Amino acid sequence: MKFGVHYIDFLPGSPEKLGPMLAAAVTAAEEGGVDMFTLADHFFQMENLGRADDPFLEGYTSMGYLAALTKSITLAMLVTGVTYRYPGVLAKTVTTLDVLSSGRAMFGIGAAWYDREHHALGIPYPPLKDRFEMLEETLQICLQMWSENDGAYEGKHYRLAETICQPQPIRRPPILIGGGGEKKTLRLVAQYADVWNGTSPLEELPRKLDVLRRHCDTVGRNFSEIRLTAGYFVDPFADVDEYLRVLDRYAALGIDTINTAPLPGNPDPSGWVKRLCDEVIPRQSG
């Protein structure tokens, strides 16, 4: 089992402390053997984790900062909101991250959901049906820009006269799609994703995986080509033995990476990451 650390709480406090705290966390993660370091693509803190006016750094600027601090860890948004950036600009942004990180970018993307920050900042917030259509077109545009085809793209929501993207990524960023929507999300995973991040409770994952397999059959995709990851956001130190037993259940389903995070309000996120690397990762086999 591999581990990803999801950094989602920048903690209230003076702005000059935010960068060093983030730097300490990603450094601890890389040095401790964590496979992936992710951020949430938001502009306000999520209200299920804190207050909307808590500090929150923009994700892709932060990723450029992290790329300069690290050498081996995969960097990704978990996940990019499709509404926040035009697809051509987004493809260029992810490409830039990949080039500057020497091929370590992963492209996580979803349909976006945080209506408050959309309305507050004047970002259009279309109906869910439209957002899923925009998501699929964005995936198509990014894949076209990461190919030899630099011609036009004509879709329902986006029209690009050219899809030039130079330089090309060092490595075509693996596409990660998260979520468990059985009709739309998992169909997009089957058709476009290299990585799926399951967000459903463990008990629901077998059904979600069966649905994903059926979508793969429908689109002619080999299910085994999709890397399976999952979010499991609990305190691993409350009972490490039980935590590891739960991870074994994830592994039995084919999940190869668990994304976890310091619980909101933890005053020492880098200390939490170091403890994960010292007390949990060495005990997790496979």
Side-chain angles (χ1 to χ4, degrees):
M1 183 70 72
K2 299 176 183 178
F3 287 83
V5 167
H6 190 44
Y7 194 98
I8 50 176
D9 187 3
F10 291 93
L11 303 173
S14 54
E16 62 268 19
K17 294 181 180 179
L18 301 184
M21 290 183 70
L22 178 60
V26 76
T27 299
E30 183 168 70
E31 292 178 349
V34 171
D35 182 69
M36 178 166 56
F37 194 89
T38 61
L39 299 173
D41 190 28
H42 290 294
F43 307 108
F44 296 173
Q45 178 58 280
M46 294 163 280
E47 292 167 291
N48 61 327
L49 299 177
R51 302 178 307 169
D53 58 358
D54 285 344
F56 210 89
L57 298 179
E58 192 280 322
Y60 278 103
T61 310
S62 300
M63 279 294 169
Y65 174 65
L66 298 180
L69 295 172
T70 56
K71 294 182 179 179
S72 61
I73 198 165
T74 297
L75 302 172
M77 305 304 295
L78 195 66
V79 292
T80 306
V82 71
T83 51
Y84 297 136
R85 302 163 188 86
Y86 284 111
V89 174
L90 177 58
K92 187 69 175 180
T93 299
V94 176
T95 299
T96 300
L97 175 63
D98 186 78
V99 169
L100 295 182
S101 66
S102 300
R104 292 185 286 122
M106 181 180 287
F107 179 41
I109 188 164
W113 60 269
Y114 196 178
D115 53 344
R116 178 174 177 175
E117 65 185 357
H118 284 79
H119 299 319
L121 299 178
I123 301 167
Y125 189 63
L128 184 60
K129 176 180 180 295
D130 291 349
R131 299 201 309 274
F132 269 104
E133 292 172 351
M134 293 163 65
L135 174 57
E136 182 159 18
E137 290 189 14
T138 295
L139 289 164
Q140 293 170 353
I141 290 165
C142 288
L143 287 171
Q144 181 168 324
M145 291 186 68
W146 296 330
S147 75
E148 295 181 357
N149 179 2
D150 60 5
Y153 176 90
E154 291 286 336
K156 176 180 177 182
H157 298 276
Y158 302 112
R159 294 171 180 81
L160 286 70
E162 298 180 274
T163 50
I164 295 171
C165 186
Q166 292 297 335
Q168 284 282 292
I170 293 174
R171 171 191 73 158
R172 198 272 282 167
I175 294 170
L176 178 151
I177 297 175
E182 297 182 5
K183 292 183 179 180
K184 295 182 179 180
T185 300
L186 293 180
R187 194 270 297 172
L188 291 174
V189 173
Q191 189 160 354
Y192 296 102
D194 304 290
V195 184
W196 176 57
N197 187 62
T199 56
S200 303
L202 176 59
E203 293 72 20
E204 297 180 13
L205 282 180
R207 187 182 81 249
K208 301 295 184 182
L209 290 168
D210 285 342
V211 172
L212 179 56
R213 287 187 184 93
R214 292 198 294 271
H215 281 301
C216 285
D217 290 341
T218 298
V219 302
R221 178 84 183 277
N222 187 338
F223 173 80
S224 65
E225 294 175 357
I226 301 172
R227 178 182 173 188
L228 306 176
T229 72
Y232 183 46
F233 299 107
V234 301
D235 179 7
F237 311 118
D239 186 337
V240 174
D241 290 335
E242 175 60 19
Y243 183 80
L244 293 174
R245 283 192 287 270
V246 173
L247 294 195
D248 287 340
R249 293 173 62 194
Y250 277 102
L253 295 173
I255 305 297
D256 84 347
T257 301
I258 288 293
N259 292 304
T260 185
L263 297 179
N266 188 312
D268 183 17
S270 62
W272 184 94
V273 173
K274 290 176 183 177
R275 190 177 178 192
L276 179 78
C277 297
D278 290 341
E279 300 181 19
V280 177
I281 291 179
R283 293 184 57 188
Q284 175 58 46
S285 61

